Amino acid sequence: MTQSTVAAPAIGVFDSGFGGLTVLRALLAHLPRARFAFLGDTARLPYGSKSRRTIARYAVESAQFLVGEEGAEFLVIACNTASALALDAIQTAVPAIPVLGVIEPGADAAQAASQSGDVLVIATDATVQSHAYAAACRARGLRALEKACPLLVPLVEEGWTSHPVTEQVIRIYIDELLADARGASLNPDTLVLGCTHYPLLRTLIEAAVPPGMRVIDSAEAAAQAASRLIDGRAAAAPQPIFAASSAERIGLLPNPAPETCLRFFATDSVDKFQRLGSAFLGRPVPRVHLVDLGG
Ligand code: DGL
C-alpha cells in the first residue's frame, strides 16, 4: 500500500448517499495524512433512476460545494452513476481541480482479476444505460455484460444489508444475469460491483454467485488510483500544489485535529447518515453538517 508522507491535500469525496463512504474508508487507509470532506447528496438520492442532465446538475452542484465551501484541491467521485454520466461536466465546472471517478479504476481491477476476459457488472439503471463499464472493459480487451439492480440502493439506504428480503432480491438479480450470460455464450469469472452502495451487500452477493467467481469493489481500486495521482502530483510539483503549510507537508506538524481532518455533510437526514454511515465507514461517523444545495 502506498502512503502519502509529504502532502496533506484537501480531498473532496462525493456520493449521492452514503455508499461513497466505502470509498472514503479505502482512501483513509491509503492517504492517512490527507484532509477529507465527504458530501452525501441524500436529499436527491437516488441518482441512478434519473436522467444524465439531472445527474450532471446535481453532481456539479455537489462538486462546487466541496471545492468552493470546503476548499477541496482534489475530487473523488465516489459514485458510479455520477462517474458514468457527469465526470466531464464536473471537470468542466472545476477546471483547476483534478477529478477522479470510480469507473476506470473498477475496470482496471476487473482486468487484473479476470482470466476468461468475460465480466459481469451490476449497477444502477443510469450507469447501465450509459454503458460506461462496457466501454471501459472493451478498451481493456474484456467483454462485459451489465445489469441494472434498481432495488439494491433503497435496501442499503434502509440499512437492510443482511435482511432476508435483500438476500432474495440479490439471488433473483444474479440468477437473471447468469442466465443472460449463458444466453450470450459468455464465460464470466468476475463480477464488478458497479455501485458504491453494493460493497455493503458483498456477503450476500458472494453467496449468490457461482463458487470461484471474483467479486470486484471499485472502492479499493479508486483509492489506489487517487493515492498514486496525489503522490505523483506532489512529487512532480515545482512548488506546493496543495494548500497545506510546508511544515505540515514535510511532516513537521502533527496531523490536524480529527474534526478538521474528516468533515461530513449531507443534504438531508443527517441523523440517519450518522447512524448508518458508520457501517460503511468502518468507524463512527462524527458530526454530520446539513447543507442545502437547492432542489
Ligand atoms: N452510489 C451510487 C453509485 O455508485 C448510486 C446511488 C444512487 O442511485 O444514487 O452509483
Side-chain angles (χ1 to χ4, degrees):
M1 175 188 302
T2 352
Q3 290 194 347
S4 177
T5 51
V6 292
I11 302 175
V13 185
F14 150 69
D15 183 30
S16 55
F18 40 54
L21 291 172
T22 57
V23 178
L24 178 59
R25 181 179 183 158
L27 284 165
L28 283 165
H30 282 270
L31 295 159
R33 291 184 51 76
R35 290 167 291 139
F36 291 97
F38 181 94
L39 171 65
D41 192 7
T42 42
R44 305 189 288 192
L45 174 120
Y47 281 19
S49 56
K50 299 192 169 68
S51 68
R52 179 184 294 270
R53 187 189 165 100
T54 300
I55 292 164
R57 178 163 65 85
Y58 290 174
V60 163
E61 287 169 359
S62 300
Q64 284 171 331
F65 168 80
L66 287 169
V67 174
E69 303 294 322
E70 282 301 298
E73 300 154 286
F74 187 94
L75 284 180
V76 178
I77 310 306
C79 173
N80 288 265
T81 308
S83 299
L85 291 111
L87 203 61
D88 291 348
I90 295 168
Q91 188 65 86
T92 303
V94 289
I97 304 294
V99 180
L100 180 78
V102 287
I103 303 275
E104 297 295 322
D108 282 340
Q111 184 183 29
S114 178
Q115 311 238 305
S116 68
D118 290 344
V119 306
L120 305 175
V121 181
I122 54 174
T124 65
D125 252 326
T127 300
V128 167
Q129 279 172 37
S130 77
H131 297 301
Y133 267 107
C137 286
R138 200 179 315 116
R140 290 163 176 79
L142 303 173
R143 291 194 296 178
L145 184 63
E146 305 158 291
K147 181 169 180 64
C149 302
L151 294 176
L152 298 187
V153 168
L155 288 167
V156 170
E157 290 279 329
E158 199 51 45
W160 285 22
T161 51
S162 54
H163 195 282
V165 167
T166 311
E167 182 180 5
Q168 191 61 24
V169 169
I170 287 171
R171 282 200 182 278
I172 293 168
Y173 280 144
I174 296 290
D175 287 350
E176 285 177 1
L177 181 55
L178 291 170
D180 290 347
R182 280 193 298 276
S185 304
L186 295 178
N187 177 28
D189 60 357
T190 301
L191 173 75
V192 177
L193 306 183
C195 172
T196 51
H197 281 68
Y198 299 174
L200 264 285
L201 303 172
R202 190 180 184 113
T203 306
L204 297 183
I205 292 169
E206 281 178 341
V209 299
M213 181 167 279
R214 302 280 305 271
V215 176
I216 301 294
D217 164 8
S218 60
E220 175 59 22
Q224 283 177 16
S227 170
R228 276 195 302 273
L229 206 54
I230 287 169
D231 285 344
R233 282 174 64 84
Q239 55 195 22
I241 56 167
F242 299 118
S245 73
S246 56
E248 186 181 55
R249 191 175 297 285
I250 60 174
L252 297 178
L253 293 177
N255 276 345
E259 171 70 4
T260 52
C261 285
L262 203 48
R263 285 164 58 78
F264 293 90
F265 302 88
T267 52
D268 196 10
S269 314
V270 288
D271 293 340
K272 184 178 170 192
F273 189 102
Q274 192 167 24
R275 193 163 29 86
L276 295 181
S278 53
F280 289 71
L281 192 61
R283 63 167 87 173
V285 171
R287 183 170 167 215
V288 181
H289 304 264
L290 183 65
V291 291
D292 184 357
L293 298 180

